[in-house]
Amino acid sequence: MTSLRLDCVAKAFDGFELGPLDLAVADEVLAVLGPSGCGKTTLLSLVAGLVRPDAGTISLDGRTLDGRPPENRGVGLVFQDGALFPHLTARENVAYAATDRDRVTDFTARLEIDDLLDRRPPALSGGERQRVALARTLAADPDALLLDEPLSSLDAPIRRRLRDELHDLFATLDVPVVYVTHDQRAATALGDRVAVLRDGAVEQIDEPDAVLDCPETEFVARFTGCENVFEGTVTEGGVRVDGVTFPAESTQPPGTAATVCIRPSRVRLNAPDTVLAGTVQRRLNEGDDYRLRVALDDGPDLIARVRPSGTLAPGDAVGVSIAAEDVHLL
Amino acid sequence: MSAQRRLFSPRFDWLSLTLVLGGLLLLYYLAPLASLFLAAPPGTVAASLTEPTVVNAMTTSVLSATLSTLVGTVFGLPLAYWLAHADTRWTNVVLAVVVLPLVLPPTVGGVVLLTVVGPNTFLGASAAAVGVPLTRSLAGVVLAQTFVASPFVVVTAKAAFEGVDRTLEHASRVLGMDRLTTVRRITLPLAGPGLLAGVTLAFARAMGEFGATMMLAYYPRTMPVQIWVSFVSLGLDAAYPIAIVLVVVSALALIVLHTVASNPWQ
């Protein structure tokens, strides 16, 4: 069983500090999620040997990578825009470092790029370039696969399709995969575990559902799409924010201060078990759902994500209900 | 309102003035060249091209410029690669040293070279003792030309190396190729046109080198030296044929710079 380990790895430059980081990635997909500038790309550069760490040890399959040049690490890195060699055809790119011919034909078939092989990179679309880049990296038979925001510059339909394919592809690989992204959906969709990185430090590392449902910090909550974050006080069977009380399960004694996190998709409007009242302030049609801003009577403004319905418009009074298990306290 | 005014009263565009002023300068470049070709009847030029002095000068120039370009390339490309990749403040100092021969008057370049390779210096005397005099010899011409022309290789190649996306070199390394293989398969092909431009510029500069060459090696005469000698001893007409040859060499260099030496990937 292969595994990639980082022990106390630290790197400082230009006033930015990454780490010290401890990470262990088994034969799984670790999605590293964080805003731009949080150190995600630096993390990959350290593992790939493009940047030298100030401290710490990186090992792969029990052998240390410290001091080894990039070509001698057995690590594959897929760059953000593919980094295809522009003077070579797609075929020559894939074959550039291939260990054998079969791997080339195997991955060009699996990534469905057989028809593109005679083209040069400028004649490829963004999605096609990433497919070629992936095939090129995998044909070199790496012991660990690193991906640096491979989908970020693609149009939404292509991005979704390639994300699905990456999911299936990762399942067939028996090497550690580190997938770096600022896109929460890609991170939770592809990661067996998600590490949320902030200012060079891991804020939380957990399975996708746990990161989404039980964020440990306000930053993790907000960055993973929990838009309703309030300061409140624990009461008997609930939590009080301004003049309203949300149902909540808390182990803390009443009177304790708590941060309340409620995902917009968990807010229900005009349901039979309505407990709170408010007024719709704004409605955005986001396609699959409406994003509504609801001002609670005597309470904070709440963001709700509900299925499109023509009956709710700004100015309408609505009943609001939230289940206790959907109210997460920090 | 203002858009309407612009529509009905065409205003003076300063862009046309830049063309008028620049056009005068352009004429100043082209008129003497045209005049040179008109002043020298093709028949006379063709006939004088076979004269021994002209043939000798052409041979010396082509041979020495080729050698000095070769020396400049063999030593200049590694230096350019280092300048483009080294992550140290010293690159600025090194670059200043490389540019020095470019800004130094060539005759001064000749003077400083003579203090190192002149007949009375240790280096010059030792070399002469083993039969390779460094002045008044082809070696002297090559030394002078290398000093003046090789910086073109370094400066142009440095820019060409820097024009290669560093991510591509990183990609090659991470794919398992060492630095030398990466240079051979990625950096050189992508920087190739820029490198060729540097080599071409250096060759053209070497062909035209006069000042430093005069100080180091009056003999064997290169084409520029022969032009000067012909002009001083026989007058302007005698200088025409070689001058025309050098104009043609310059034109060829320009053609190379604008065709094979321009980057198809940018």
Side-chain angles (χ1 to χ4, degrees):
Chain A
M1 167 150 156
T2 56
S3 84
L4 174 69
R5 287 183 63 89
L6 282 79
D7 292 299
C8 285
V9 172
K11 175 71 187 175
F13 56 90
D14 298 341
F16 173 79
E17 275 181 49
L18 176 71
L21 283 180
D22 289 293
L23 283 175
V25 191
D27 289 350
E28 60 177 335
V29 180
L30 177 72
V32 177
L33 174 67
S36 42
C38 73
K40 304 184 301 271
T41 298
T42 305
L43 171 66
L44 295 190
S45 300
L46 285 166
V47 176
L50 298 173
V51 170
R52 224 176 261 269
D54 298 334
T57 288
I58 301 173
S59 63
L60 183 58
D61 293 336
R63 62 191 164 90
T64 176
L65 299 183
D66 302 336
R68 286 180 190 231
E71 63 267 24
N72 202 8
R73 293 185 166 225
V75 168
L77 173 56
V78 178
F79 291 83
Q80 191 164 355
D81 292 310
L84 296 182
F85 306 127
H87 59 304
L88 303 180
T89 62
R91 186 194 314 278
E92 289 164 337
N93 266 280
V94 177
Y96 184 74
T99 48
D100 63 75
R101 243 210 177 116
D102 291 345
R103 284 189 79 85
V104 174
T105 49
D106 178 22
F107 284 108
T108 55
R110 280 162 73 176
L111 287 154
E112 297 171 23
I113 52 171
D114 282 328
D115 295 341
L116 317 169
L117 291 176
D118 292 323
R119 291 196 216 160
R120 285 183 204 278
L124 299 174
S125 70
E128 290 166 345
R129 273 200 279 266
Q130 286 300 12
R131 287 170 188 275
V132 175
L134 256 168
R136 180 179 72 179
T137 297
L138 291 170
D141 199 11
D143 297 327
L145 177 63
L146 315 176
L147 302 102
D148 188 3
E149 307 244 17
L151 306 179
S152 65
S153 57
L154 305 180
D155 295 337
I158 312 269
R159 186 169 63 229
R160 280 191 292 267
R161 188 176 156 198
L162 201 49
R163 196 177 66 197
D164 290 351
E165 292 181 31
L166 280 179
H167 175 271
D168 298 347
L169 178 71
F170 290 163
T172 68
L173 301 176
D174 50 2
V175 297
V177 177
V178 180
Y179 186 100
V180 151
T181 180
H182 67 270
D183 175 6
Q184 169 251 310
R185 284 166 191 250
T188 51
L190 297 175
D192 295 313
R193 287 188 302 152
V194 176
V196 182
L197 203 61
R198 179 197 191 188
D199 294 337
V202 173
E203 192 103 341
Q204 182 171 355
I205 180 164
D206 229 323
E207 288 175 6
D209 287 342
V211 171
L212 291 174
D213 294 335
C214 305
E216 285 168 11
T217 66
E218 185 178 334
F219 176 81
V220 173
R222 287 189 186 279
F223 202 76
T224 54
C226 181
E227 294 178 79
N228 301 303
V229 180
F230 311 114
E231 295 306 320
T233 314
V234 174
T235 62
E236 205 65 53
V239 59
R240 188 164 188 80
V241 177
D242 299 339
V244 298
T245 301
F246 298 108
E249 293 156 358
S250 177
T251 51
Q252 301 291 323
T256 314
T259 302
V260 184
C261 305
I262 303 164
R263 297 190 72 80
S265 58
R266 306 291 164 83
V267 177
R268 285 170 295 136
L269 301 180
N270 289 341
D273 56 345
T274 285
V275 287
L276 301 168
T279 312
V280 175
Q281 295 214 309
R282 185 203 292 137
R283 186 185 76 181
L284 296 186
N285 187 340
E286 293 196 331
D288 287 335
D289 44 31
Y290 279 167
R291 191 181 130 90
L292 294 150
R293 187 176 191 89
V294 177
L296 293 176
D297 298 347
D298 300 324
D301 288 0
L302 208 56
I303 303 292
R305 203 175 271 283
V306 297
R307 288 175 59 186
S309 111
T311 57
L312 288 173
D316 289 352
V318 284
V320 176
S321 54
I322 303 160
E325 65 261 29
D326 291 332
V327 178
H328 178 70
L329 300 183
L330 297 181
Chain B
M1 167 71 186
S2 66
Q4 223 168 17
R5 187 184 297 163
R6 219 171 288 144
L7 250 171
F8 290 112
S9 64
R11 292 203 314 181
F12 177 73
D13 187 349
W14 286 94
L15 189 62
S16 29
L17 183 65
T18 59
L19 182 62
V20 169
L21 290 176
L24 284 173
L25 193 60
L26 218 56
L27 265 181
Y28 182 63
Y29 298 148
L30 289 174
L33 281 176
S35 161
L36 170 65
F37 280 92
L38 290 175
T44 329
V45 174
S48 62
L49 284 181
T50 54
E51 283 173 24
T53 48
V54 176
V55 171
N56 285 342
M58 286 200 288
T59 312
T60 305
S61 270
V62 170
L63 190 62
S64 60
T66 305
L67 286 172
S68 57
T69 304
L70 206 65
V71 172
T73 304
V74 167
F75 293 94
L77 288 192
L79 181 57
Y81 182 86
W82 181 83
L83 281 168
H85 287 79
D87 200 13
T88 153
R89 261 175 293 173
W90 287 102
T91 52
N92 283 331
V93 179
V94 173
L95 191 62
V97 175
V98 170
V99 174
L100 193 66
L102 289 180
V103 292
L104 207 62
T107 40
V108 179
V111 170
V112 297
L113 280 177
L114 279 175
T115 64
V116 181
V117 301
N120 299 324
T121 63
F122 171 74
L123 221 62
S126 320
V130 295
V132 193
L134 299 181
T135 55
R136 294 180 72 82
S137 66
L138 188 68
V141 177
V142 171
L143 285 175
Q145 289 179 346
T146 303
F147 186 79
V148 176
S150 60
F152 282 96
V153 175
V154 181
V155 172
T156 315
K158 171 180 174 282
F161 284 136
E162 284 171 345
V164 176
D165 185 354
R166 192 67 69 88
T167 313
L168 299 177
E169 295 174 318
H170 285 164
S172 169
R173 296 290 297 277
V174 176
L175 281 165
M177 300 302 167
D178 60 17
R179 189 183 282 278
L180 203 62
T181 311
T182 299
V183 165
R184 192 168 53 79
R185 294 180 63 181
I186 305 299
T187 315
L188 284 181
L190 289 175
L195 305 182
L196 186 59
V199 171
T200 307
L201 284 170
F203 183 79
R205 180 69 187 86
M207 287 293 284
E209 217 303 302
F210 176 69
T213 313
M214 276 290 278
M215 306 290 292
L216 257 72
Y218 183 69
Y219 285 108
R221 285 179 192 155
T222 60
M223 285 198 278
V225 173
Q226 185 59 48
I227 286 179
W228 187 78
V229 170
S230 302
F231 168 61
V232 170
S233 55
L234 301 168
L236 191 58
D237 287 0
Y240 285 157
I242 299 186
I244 285 179
V245 171
L246 281 176
V247 169
V248 170
V249 168
S250 306
L252 288 178
L254 274 181
I255 290 171
V256 170
L257 286 176
H258 281 91
T259 52
V260 280
S262 57
N263 198 332
W265 295 291
Q266 279 171 0

